[in-house]
Amino acid sequence: MPGFRLPVSFLRFFAAMSAALLAASLGGCTGSPDPPEQPTASATAFAELENFGRTMIDDGAPAVLMQVRNKGEEWSRAIGVRSLETREPVQPSDPVEVASVTKSMVAVTVLKLVEEGRLGLDDAVSEHLPDLGRVVHPPFPVTVRDLLSHSSGMPDYAAKLIASRPLKEVINTRLSLTQRLAWAGRTTWEKRLAQGFEYSESDYVALALLVERLRGQPIGDVISEQITGPLGMSGTFMIGARTTPSGIAHGYLVIEDQRVDVTSPAVLTGSPSGGLVSTVQDLNTFYSALMQGKLLSPATLKEMQTPNTAGFYGLGLWIWNDTCTNGFAYGHPGDLLGYGTVSMTSADGTRQVTVALTYPPAPFILGDNPLVLEMMDVAEHTLNSMC
């Protein structure tokens, strides 16, 4: 999700229907069977999400997928179509591209190496990747923690790559991890007196190289072995690792005045900064397991949750206010090539909201898509409505 610099604005997307109207409306919606009757305590939150999804469809989004979990209750919703060509109704369990949500899983694979003593958070990356300096020319020693928290200052390879050639050509270009960093190396890495938060896709490419060097496996295989396999996340995989499922929700861009299907683009094959396909259910499963100590030790999880100087990003985790506990919620947004996703969970993993959207077809935006900011707002408000 290149370009994010500031915490989410505090716009609020209020529900426009009561629980009774929600129950009445569900029967006629496109995309999935009628969900079971929901408890009154959660009805307002579900109504807000339903209204958000309807608004997105009215604005031209092909599909919206949502799942809420609240202390054992589950509510799933899918509105729209899998593909604008086939018009087949989308289902709640359909996979979508989740862009930068990928970073949270890559961060877990790095932190597992820290727990094993094979890596230190404050190790210089050059100790483990001696060739990194030759490729990206860092002006000062960079640590593992710097990469995880986006405070390294490394130039963003994606910005340079996208500006280099026509977008269709970029989308159809397959790159190795080293080739991605080589694009970052074409921009001078500036030395600053105080290096703060600077979101860069390159940080997580370097981290994936580190994991691959120490594990001897591709990063997608490590994620599968350590996270998605043990947690039963069968709908989650790296683009290029398997044939694109027929039920995937398709993403679109407008390029040279033509609508183009950009589902499973070659440029995201194996990308540790944004190449995962997943489902709203799988993302809730992942973040719940993470918060409940099923993937990392309490001490390591605390490190992951500790915000950097910007105050809203930890080690592969975005941080939001949780007014139910006067504490914080954790997760990650994703925004890339026709897709937007937000997955958010309470610190105890019992309240969760995941929303995935295939954007209304439009020209590519390099930077913040306003829709993902709106998704973050509605997800945060929903989570805070489930006290």
Side-chain angles (χ1 to χ4, degrees):
M1 193 172 59
F4 262 44
R5 298 293 183 272
L6 297 173
V8 62
S9 58
F10 291 97
L11 302 173
R12 290 303 181 212
F13 190 99
F14 289 103
M17 61 184 75
S18 67
L21 286 175
L22 170 65
S25 68
L26 288 175
C29 294
T30 302
S32 63
D34 294 352
E37 215 174 292
Q38 303 298 332
T40 303
S42 301
T44 299
F46 299 155
E48 180 169 356
L49 283 173
E50 175 77 13
N51 192 40
F52 171 79
R54 279 283 165 207
T55 300
M56 291 298 98
I57 295 298
D58 291 344
D59 288 346
V64 185
L65 302 94
M66 302 170 279
Q67 192 193 54
V68 173
R69 295 181 183 179
N70 185 18
K71 299 179 177 68
E73 303 171 18
E74 288 190 10
W75 178 89
S76 297
R77 191 78 182 93
I79 312 173
V81 295
R82 288 171 171 167
S83 159
L84 291 175
E85 288 73 36
T86 67
R87 311 300 300 184
E88 186 177 12
V90 71
Q91 302 299 317
S93 58
D94 286 346
V96 295
E97 294 173 25
V98 299
S100 286
V101 180
T102 304
K103 293 180 175 69
S104 290
M105 297 193 202
V106 172
V108 169
T109 68
V110 174
L111 291 169
K112 282 182 173 292
L113 287 165
V114 173
E115 289 189 335
E116 293 170 14
R118 302 179 64 183
L119 194 63
L121 280 174
D122 296 311
D123 285 357
V125 178
S126 58
E127 293 178 23
H128 306 279
L129 292 176
D131 294 338
L132 185 70
R134 179 180 55 80
V135 179
V136 291
H137 320 296
F140 48 78
V142 175
T143 68
V144 174
R145 189 189 303 274
D146 292 335
L147 297 178
L148 284 165
S149 62
H150 289 296
S151 53
S152 74
M154 192 189 310
D156 190 333
Y157 85 86
K160 195 72 173 180
L161 174 63
I162 289 168
S164 71
R165 60 188 77 174
L167 187 57
K168 279 187 180 179
E169 192 176 329
V170 171
I171 289 170
N172 291 314
T173 300
R174 187 177 296 221
L175 299 168
S176 68
L177 298 184
T178 302
Q179 286 171 329
R180 294 177 197 274
L181 287 184
W183 278 103
R186 299 188 184 199
T187 299
T188 301
W189 188 338
E190 301 287 350
K191 184 175 183 178
R192 301 177 184 178
L193 292 177
Q195 185 59 55
F197 179 80
E198 187 170 351
Y199 197 94
S200 174
E201 307 295 337
S202 305
D203 287 335
Y204 276 72
V205 176
L207 288 167
L209 273 173
L210 191 57
V211 172
E212 292 190 354
R213 176 70 59 88
L214 294 175
R215 293 293 185 197
Q217 295 176 278
I219 186 64
D221 291 351
V222 177
I223 289 172
S224 177
E225 184 177 291
Q226 296 185 345
I227 302 171
T228 62
L231 295 180
M233 296 165 56
S234 59
T236 302
F237 59 93
M238 196 71 81
I239 291 174
R242 65 175 80 162
T243 303
T244 302
S246 59
I248 195 169
H250 286 242
Y252 298 88
L253 292 175
V254 173
I255 304 174
E256 298 172 358
D257 296 324
Q258 292 185 331
R259 188 182 76 202
V260 177
D261 188 327
V262 291
T263 309
S264 299
V267 73
L268 292 184
T269 298
S271 170
S273 57
L276 276 182
V277 170
S278 191
T279 68
V280 291
Q281 293 91 342
D282 274 5
L283 293 185
N284 279 339
T285 294
F286 165 67
Y287 283 113
S288 177
L290 179 61
M291 292 300 115
Q292 294 177 356
K294 297 177 182 178
L295 295 172
L296 297 171
S297 71
T300 305
L301 179 59
K302 186 175 180 180
E303 287 273 15
M304 195 177 189
Q305 294 171 321
T306 301
N308 63 10
T309 54
F312 65 94
Y313 201 87
L315 305 182
L317 286 178
W318 212 273
I319 303 171
W320 294 271
N321 289 321
D322 183 353
T323 59
C324 291
T325 62
N326 197 29
F328 299 100
Y330 303 92
H332 214 290
D335 168 28
L336 188 62
L337 295 180
Y339 292 87
T341 303
V342 174
S343 191
M344 189 178 300
T345 184
S346 60
D348 64 1
T350 64
R351 287 177 292 114
Q352 298 182 271
V353 182
T354 296
V355 182
L357 173 69
T358 51
Y359 292 141
F364 176 71
I365 298 172
L366 181 59
D368 306 342
N369 189 312
L371 287 178
V372 80
L373 297 175
E374 189 170 346
M375 292 167 69
M376 289 167 73
D377 276 329
V378 76
E380 184 179 7
H381 190 239
T382 299
L383 194 78
N384 288 332
S385 298
M386 298 190 295
C387 300

